[in-house]
Amino acid sequence: MNNSSSTQMKAVTIPEFGEAEVLRVDTVPVPAPGPGQVAIDVAYAGANFAEVLYRRGVVDVPLPFVPGIEVAGTIRAVGEGVEGLSVGQPVAALTIIDSGGYAEVVVTSADLVAPLGGLGIGMGVAAALPSNSTTAFLVLDRVARIEPGESVLVHAAAGGVGSQLGQIAHLLGAGRVVGTVGSEAKIEAARRFGYDEVILRNRTAEAGEFDIVVDMVGGPARRAGLDRLGPMGRLVVMGNASGAEDVGIPANELWFTNKTVSGFNLAAFSAAFPKETAQALRRAVAAAATGDLQIQTETLPLEQAVEAHRRIESGMTTGKLVLNVAAL
């Protein structure tokens, strides 16, 4: 949408909770930035499992709701008090606090924006950075407090976040980095994402001992990950993609084994620590610009958001799906 005076825009909305088919392209008002915010003309939006949870009603959001937790585009307008950002500037941004990225224009906190000018990163790749790559840096550095030479096990290694965790673990000095996947078909794909070894998830018990385990799968994978921790090992819980029942972890077990379990939720962290989140985002952008961080993307038009959600829910995707919004 090039007309800055337009008051209406196209967006994919969730009019009711349900399966992927409930998503629809609709016309909604163009949002305006408030103090400390920027409005962004969206070029591409990342597609994530988080948006599937919104659509299913797992996260209680007001309907109709525009999903979309990350975008890349150009700044359309800046709100009162915003410094260092200007209209027309290319940026990557987290829109995770209020969502809204599946649209021609989105508003987000200026603290959650990373400039792209002069870095040579395409908008499609940039849209894949704010959620997964930022998460990977924060989970490993801030939550797990990785030390040089430590070993790391990552469940769902071929997915969006998994594709970043293996690479970033090595960037942060990890020693052995192992990924697990749910099917043979994903092993080769995961190996391209920086893992020293990739194994089937049902063989986790054979993987040895680790200092850090990152689990976004839940269910049996969570229990298996905890069992693979060595003394002073840390399990980071950051999802439940399997939809399994919650896994109870007895506190006395942690006491007797010197293990730690931590949780990480990017939306909650971004709301509580926006400036620290922005530092991680800019770190991710810089790593992508130098080639230290590889991003594998597949692009679909925004109108095919239903198909994107189906693919994400199937568990058969590798790397990251992004939605082309500018082509509307």
Side-chain angles (χ1 to χ4, degrees):
M1 184 177 66
N2 297 319
N3 185 353
S4 61
S5 64
S6 297
T7 60
Q8 298 289 305
M9 67 176 182
K10 296 292 186 182
V12 168
T13 67
I14 302 171
E16 60 182 315
F17 299 126
E19 299 302 315
E21 290 72 21
V22 302
L23 295 173
R24 73 182 185 201
V25 178
D26 209 343
T27 300
V28 301
V30 173
Q37 295 182 321
V38 297
I40 298 169
D41 282 320
V42 179
Y44 291 85
N48 300 275
F49 192 73
E51 291 124 19
V52 171
L53 298 180
Y54 292 143
R55 196 205 71 228
R56 290 177 179 173
V58 174
V59 181
D60 187 20
V61 296
L63 300 179
F65 184 74
V66 180
I69 66 172
E70 61 181 343
V71 302
T74 56
I75 293 180
R76 175 187 179 87
V78 297
E80 182 182 350
V82 173
E83 298 179 355
L85 298 171
S86 57
V87 173
Q89 190 173 13
V91 295
L94 269 169
T95 53
I96 194 167
I97 295 178
D98 296 316
S99 203
Y102 287 17
E104 292 182 286
V105 180
V106 67
V107 164
T108 192
S109 168
D111 287 336
L112 299 178
V113 172
L116 298 174
L119 295 178
I121 302 175
M123 287 289 184
V125 170
L129 287 166
S131 173
N132 294 339
S133 307
T134 301
T135 290
F137 272 113
L138 290 171
V139 162
L140 291 169
D141 203 7
R142 177 69 154 82
V143 183
R145 300 186 185 279
I146 190 170
E147 295 287 342
E150 287 194 313
S151 55
V152 180
L153 176 71
V154 176
H155 288 313
V161 183
S163 73
Q164 302 301 285
L165 283 161
Q167 298 180 72
I168 290 172
H170 279 304
L171 286 178
L172 296 176
R176 180 181 178 226
V177 182
V178 177
T180 78
V181 293
S183 68
E184 292 274 1
K186 289 189 173 185
I187 290 177
E188 286 305 316
R191 282 180 177 151
R192 296 195 294 269
F193 296 139
Y195 290 95
D196 300 310
E197 306 165 49
V198 180
I199 61 174
L200 291 175
R201 198 166 300 124
N202 59 14
R203 298 185 61 184
T204 300
E206 306 168 22
E209 198 170 84
F210 295 88
D211 298 298
I212 297 167
V213 174
V214 183
D215 173 43
M216 60 209 86
V217 175
R222 186 154 300 161
R223 181 67 248 184
L226 184 65
D227 290 341
R228 297 274 53 81
L229 288 179
M232 301 306 294
R234 291 89 76 198
L235 169 65
V236 182
V237 175
M238 51 164 293
N240 188 37
S242 67
E245 291 295 321
D246 198 9
V247 176
I249 299 174
N252 281 352
E253 177 183 351
L254 303 179
W255 166 33
F256 283 117
T257 59
N258 291 302
K259 297 177 182 179
T260 298
V261 178
S262 299
F264 180 81
N265 179 281
L266 182 59
F269 191 92
S270 298
F273 307 104
K275 293 190 182 302
E276 189 172 349
T277 304
Q279 289 174 356
L281 170 57
R282 295 182 185 206
R283 196 174 182 184
V285 167
T290 60
D292 289 333
L293 189 59
Q294 299 297 315
I295 314 295
Q296 176 185 309
T297 63
E298 180 182 354
T299 303
L300 293 173
L302 181 64
E303 299 97 317
Q304 291 186 26
V306 169
E307 174 63 16
H309 278 222
R310 285 175 181 156
R311 292 192 194 182
I312 292 169
E313 289 178 285
S314 75
M316 298 307 293
T317 57
T318 58
K320 184 63 174 279
L321 283 172
V322 295
L323 300 171
N324 186 339
V325 179
L328 275 174

